[in-house]
Amino acid sequence: MKKSADYLVAAYQKIGLLPMGTAYKQPFNFPVNTFPGKMMVAINGQKLIPGKDFIVNNESPGIKQKANLTQIDSLNYKATPSLIISLKDKLTWSVATEVGEVTTIQLNKNNFTTIPKEINVDIENKFIPKFEAANVCGLVKGTKYPDSLLIITAHYDHLGGMGADTFFPGANDNAAGVATLLSLAKYYAANPQPFSIGFICFAGEEAGLLGSGYFVENPLVPLSNIKFLLNLDLVGTGEVGMTVVNASVYPKAFAMLNAINNKNQYISKINSRGKAANSDHYFFTEKGVPAFFIYTQGGPSAYHDIFDKPETLPLTEYKDLFKLIVGFNQKLME
């Protein structure tokens, strides 16, 4: 996360963004369970591939054990009270801010056909009570109304690594959102607008919207000055359209977005959704800041797994989404 934050600061500087506060980084910390070392699981003597054949539940403690397995039901097996095996159709990982009592290992049902009878496991976890993170915040000053702000946000964190050799690339979730944000930052730095345009890359989204929660409680600009916020998360596809969370909360703004889209035929379909606490827009709207969360649909189904890679992400509507956002922001400033 530190490498990514440093990369973003350098990108902001190169583009010519001003810091939102006294610096580009807004530091904060949070507790997190990590798996930096050993990640060995063998079932019936067969070594499994981390991420592909199995994942360890994110709140699991480390464990070193060899044991026989007893069946609980058709999908679950038990080695000891502190070690459980679970068969799943899809392996989906996440981030835990605490460590539990039980180590649960999920096996990919499609890659595993024999009945699990014995397990050999060696997994190392490391709990970090104060993991250092930072939101990366920049600004293009408005030419006419610098105290009025439009803000673009995207989270730059993902799930990190599971063991020393397996990591989760997070191309769609959310490198695509960050890339769109940087493209917009370049555009607005070269074309300053009447309003100031702010750019925030959040950390800690995957651990529970922690970066955006921290920003809202410690804002670097008055929240009342933010006229609208657009949050970009999972925007790397789009062949079957996109969805706008909070569309039904702000019907006027949603009608405006649709009018621009219909006129220019950018995105094939824009779906409306209500309020949802599913990304970084949420705490802003709870504080009265009008905000949309945009995500695209179609394309690869990789999500929170090792297959969310840049090589297979089509970026189908990247340019159209960019144009739609520029058009929408222009209307908001009229």
Side-chain angles (χ1 to χ4, degrees):
M1 211 184 287
K2 187 182 182 303
K3 277 185 188 172
S4 301
D6 291 343
Y7 172 90
L8 289 167
V9 168
Y12 279 21
Q13 285 172 322
K14 194 179 170 191
I15 289 165
L17 299 186
L18 300 167
M20 204 174 267
T22 51
Y24 292 104
K25 284 186 186 179
Q26 182 190 38
F28 67 101
N29 63 65
F30 60 94
V32 65
N33 191 27
T34 69
F35 299 90
K38 289 177 184 162
M39 187 55 64
M40 195 284 293
V41 174
I43 301 277
N44 303 345
Q46 180 196 338
K47 258 194 178 179
L48 305 185
I49 301 164
K52 189 168 172 265
D53 297 328
F54 79 94
I55 56 169
V56 54
N57 273 24
N58 49 39
E59 73 283 357
S60 297
I63 191 168
K64 188 173 183 178
Q65 204 173 83
K66 206 171 181 177
N68 291 324
L69 292 162
T70 51
Q71 193 165 0
I72 302 167
D73 55 41
S74 62
L75 295 175
N76 296 289
Y77 295 80
K78 193 171 169 175
T80 62
S82 60
L83 180 59
I84 303 279
I85 307 299
S86 200
L87 296 174
K88 297 277 179 186
D89 284 322
K90 181 189 178 313
L91 301 180
T92 305
W93 214 41
S94 192
V95 178
T97 53
E98 56 190 15
V99 183
E101 305 283 311
V102 180
T103 303
T104 304
I105 293 162
Q106 297 183 14
L107 302 184
N108 186 335
K109 214 163 77 177
N110 310 312
N111 295 4
F112 206 84
T113 47
T114 56
I115 292 169
K117 295 209 169 132
E118 56 167 34
I119 184 165
N120 185 4
V121 56
D122 190 357
I123 288 170
E124 287 177 340
N125 84 311
K126 184 186 178 189
F127 181 70
I128 305 171
K130 287 191 169 181
F131 177 77
E132 297 294 331
N135 297 323
V136 186
C137 316
L139 195 68
V140 175
K141 263 265 157 59
T143 54
K144 209 169 174 185
Y145 309 105
D147 289 340
S148 292
L149 280 124
L150 298 177
I151 292 201
I152 313 286
T153 66
H155 74 90
Y156 73 93
D157 65 307
H158 195 47
L159 310 177
M162 195 183 82
D165 305 316
T166 302
F167 82 107
F168 295 75
N172 194 25
D173 186 15
N174 186 33
V178 172
T180 307
L181 178 146
L182 291 174
S183 293
L184 288 159
K186 268 184 202 167
Y187 171 80
Y188 284 121
N191 303 278
Q193 301 293 305
F195 288 16
S196 291
I197 316 278
F199 302 90
I200 311 172
C201 289
F202 291 116
E205 192 269 354
E206 300 288 12
L209 314 181
L210 301 181
S212 49
Y214 185 83
F215 185 95
V216 163
E217 294 307 321
N218 306 272
L220 300 175
V221 291
L223 295 179
S224 56
N225 289 7
I226 303 171
K227 303 306 169 198
F228 213 93
L229 182 146
L230 288 176
N231 178 48
L232 307 171
D233 193 358
L234 295 153
V235 293
T237 63
E239 42 266 65
V240 296
M242 71 180 219
T243 295
V244 176
V245 170
N246 275 353
S248 59
V249 183
Y250 305 104
K252 265 189 179 164
F254 185 62
M256 200 165 83
L257 185 77
N258 263 311
I260 296 160
N261 189 57
N262 293 339
K263 187 183 168 190
N264 298 283
Q265 300 290 301
Y266 290 138
I267 314 284
S268 62
K269 188 179 181 222
I270 302 183
N271 305 299
S272 162
R273 239 185 112 169
K275 185 174 156 175
N278 55 353
S279 192
D280 288 315
H281 62 288
Y282 178 70
F283 290 118
F284 286 91
T285 43
E286 289 296 284
K287 292 272 187 184
V289 176
F292 282 161
F293 158 33
I294 292 170
Y295 59 93
T296 57
Q297 273 108 5
S301 59
Y303 175 74
H304 278 224
D305 55 34
I306 59 166
F307 306 107
D308 184 9
K309 297 177 188 167
E311 300 85 5
T312 48
L313 193 65
L315 296 174
T316 326
E317 291 295 350
Y318 192 87
K319 288 176 180 169
D320 284 335
L321 182 61
F322 173 93
K323 290 175 192 165
L324 179 60
I325 291 168
V326 169
F328 180 67
N329 281 345
Q330 202 175 330
K331 271 274 185 236
L332 287 170
M333 289 183 280
E334 283 174 6

